Amino acid sequence: MCLMKLQKSEIEEIKQCIEQHQIFAITTHANPDGDAVGSSLALSALLRSLGKQTCIIMPNDCPDFLKWLVGYDSILLFDKQPQKASEFFHKADVIFCLDYNDLERIEEMGAVINKTKKPLFLIDHHPCPICNATYMVSETSACSTAELVYRIIVDCGFESKITKEIAEALYTGIITDTGGLVHNSTNPEVYQIIAKLLSAGIDKDFIHEQIFNVFSFERLQLMGVVLKDNFVFFPEYNAAYMFITCKNQKDFNFQLGDSEGLVNLPLSVKNITFCALFTEYPNAVTKVSFRSKGSFPANVFAKEFFNGGGHLNAAGGRLPCSLQEAFAVFVKGLEAYKKMLVL
Ligand code: 5GP
Ligand code: MN
């Protein structure tokens, strides 16, 4: 795997950007995950330690299992406080875009940011950054945006500013985006970074406990029902899908983050190389998460059939249709991609 190294000129540009500006807005994608929140909090804390003013603005809230992170309380949610968020965007000198490659991923917030005409600074590991950014650190070989933030901090000479809180936020980003260092984590440098974060004083066991072992009893029951009743296997395509209906959500007191990890489970079945998890929303909207093994491009499939995108092996999208209609689109897609699925 290629190792990302910032060019000298890039480092100078980033340092100048930080030196010459005072107020930074830090944004990340809708339905923020551990990498989105972790990388944002780490960057914000670093900039504050340099005497800068920052505000993290997310389109909506993250799951409860990330709310223990230091600094979470000062994050502004665009869906709750659009006016305050908009005022900060207008006041900011630079707007950071973390962990997303397209303003569509931040929903209505994208139009507000566009209007400000402020310089954008993209830090991301998704393919095809189409964001019209003035500054850009875009590297698909990175396991997470947190890894990129770490590299920027170190390459710019701020390593001594990495506090325990910054290290915790970066570690959270790395372990959540790699599924606990299971996928996307073959690059030895990832472990060198983790060694540095451990040296900065993080309590790895505490972090794992906060992230992976804080769910409700109902959440496990919901998983049981989905695996038993809402799981469809297509041996002829080496693929499968699962689904969560609105009724399932009501029956099991569904909370944000409760479906975390579920989408990966079909890949543990021998021969399943591609799977989807459909989630039903009110007003005929269906969201879908995709996972694949090997070279099957979940992101290309998501883009072609579900207005989505993402990484090679982890992608997502949505359609304005019922669950049943979404299943039909998925099966049509499987047929179209049969040659790649059945090698
Ligand atoms: P998850 O299944 O964990 O929600 O998402 C996996 C990955 O798919 C994310 O990291 C993101 O890159 C991508 N993704 C999820 N939903 C969407 C979407 O609606 N549009 C696009 N472009 N990418 C998505
Ligand atoms: Mn990420």
Side-chain angles (χ1 to χ4, degrees):
M1 187 177 278
C2 104
L3 303 182
M4 172 253 182
K5 198 102 201 117
L6 286 177
Q7 305 288 324
K8 248 199 167 133
S9 57
E10 281 179 301
I11 297 167
E12 279 318 306
E13 209 184 357
I14 294 169
K15 276 164 86 173
Q16 269 179 23
C17 168
I18 294 171
E19 254 164 44
Q20 289 169 2
H21 300 102
Q22 184 57 30
I23 307 177
F24 297 89
I26 299 172
T27 66
T28 191
H29 59 80
N31 308 319
D33 55 15
D35 190 30
V37 180
S39 57
S40 299
L41 285 170
L43 179 65
S44 174
L46 187 275
L47 290 170
R48 284 182 185 209
S49 77
L50 298 171
K52 309 293 175 178
Q53 190 184 343
T54 68
C55 183
I56 299 173
I57 304 174
M58 311 197 299
N60 55 3
D61 207 354
C62 61
D64 285 351
F65 65 79
L66 296 169
K67 294 184 181 172
W68 59 275
L69 282 161
V70 175
Y72 165 77
D73 292 338
S74 58
I75 295 176
L76 206 58
L77 302 177
F78 186 81
D79 63 346
K80 297 267 161 48
Q81 293 183 283
Q83 192 58 36
K84 201 168 168 195
S86 176
E87 280 162 20
F88 196 86
F89 286 135
H90 283 279
K91 193 170 97 171
D93 300 317
V94 175
I95 300 174
F96 276 98
C97 308
L98 264 55
D99 202 38
Y100 64 93
N101 55 355
D102 186 336
L103 287 182
E104 265 188 17
R105 295 275 286 132
I106 56 171
E107 302 177 345
E108 292 85 38
M109 216 164 89
V112 177
I113 289 181
N114 257 339
K115 240 185 176 169
T116 66
K117 306 241 181 318
K118 295 295 169 86
L120 303 181
F121 192 146
L122 178 129
I123 306 175
D124 184 36
H125 66 133
H126 293 91
C128 317
I130 62 162
C131 180
N132 188 19
T134 308
Y135 309 93
M136 176 136 61
V137 176
S138 163
E139 180 55 60
T140 53
S141 70
C143 74
S144 55
T145 299
E147 178 186 334
L148 294 175
V149 169
Y150 175 86
R151 289 172 186 278
I152 291 170
I153 292 173
V154 172
D155 288 354
C156 288
F158 302 131
E159 189 171 351
S160 64
K161 302 246 171 225
I162 298 181
T163 57
K164 179 179 173 221
E165 285 71 29
I166 291 178
E168 273 177 346
L170 293 172
Y171 184 74
T172 296
I174 292 173
I175 57 159
T176 52
D177 254 28
T178 57
L181 298 172
V182 172
H183 38 80
N184 223 356
S185 47
T186 48
N187 178 352
E189 279 199 25
V190 171
Y191 299 88
Q192 286 163 2
I193 293 173
I194 289 173
K196 294 275 189 188
L197 299 179
L198 287 164
S199 303
I202 62 167
D203 182 342
K204 171 182 160 300
D205 296 346
F206 168 81
I207 298 174
H208 280 254
E209 202 58 27
Q210 298 309 306
I211 292 175
F212 298 115
N213 295 339
V214 289
F215 295 105
S216 66
F217 178 65
E218 288 93 337
R219 184 241 185 188
L220 223 56
Q221 289 186 308
L222 168 67
M223 281 189 158
V225 164
V226 170
L227 289 173
K228 185 170 164 292
D229 300 330
N230 302 0
F231 188 1
V232 184
F233 179 26
F234 298 91
E236 68 276 32
Y237 298 118
N238 292 331
Y241 73 73
M242 297 184 299
F243 57 94
I244 301 174
T245 63
C246 286
K247 182 172 183 314
N248 294 147
Q249 295 171 47
K250 195 160 161 274
D251 288 351
F252 296 100
N253 187 26
F254 189 83
Q255 305 293 314
L256 205 62
D258 273 358
S259 57
E260 204 69 36
L262 184 60
V263 62
N264 297 307
L265 295 183
L267 293 184
S268 66
V269 176
K270 197 173 177 181
N271 292 335
I272 294 185
T273 52
F274 182 50
C275 62
L277 172 65
F278 295 93
T279 306
E280 183 180 33
Y281 282 77
N283 306 321
V285 170
T286 297
K287 278 198 194 170
V288 54
S289 279
F290 298 103
R291 296 292 184 271
S292 71
K293 275 196 242 176
S295 60
F296 187 78
N299 50 0
V300 175
F301 188 99
K303 190 170 181 200
E304 187 170 339
F305 297 102
F306 288 90
N307 301 322
H311 308 279
L312 181 74
N313 297 132
R318 67 165 77 191
L319 281 183
C321 71
S322 70
L323 272 181
Q324 298 300 331
E325 288 165 319
F327 300 158
V329 173
F330 181 66
V331 175
K332 196 180 98 189
L334 293 182
E335 185 56 34
Y337 277 76
K338 191 168 185 175
K339 276 204 181 117
M340 290 177 78
L341 288 162
V342 186
L343 295 173

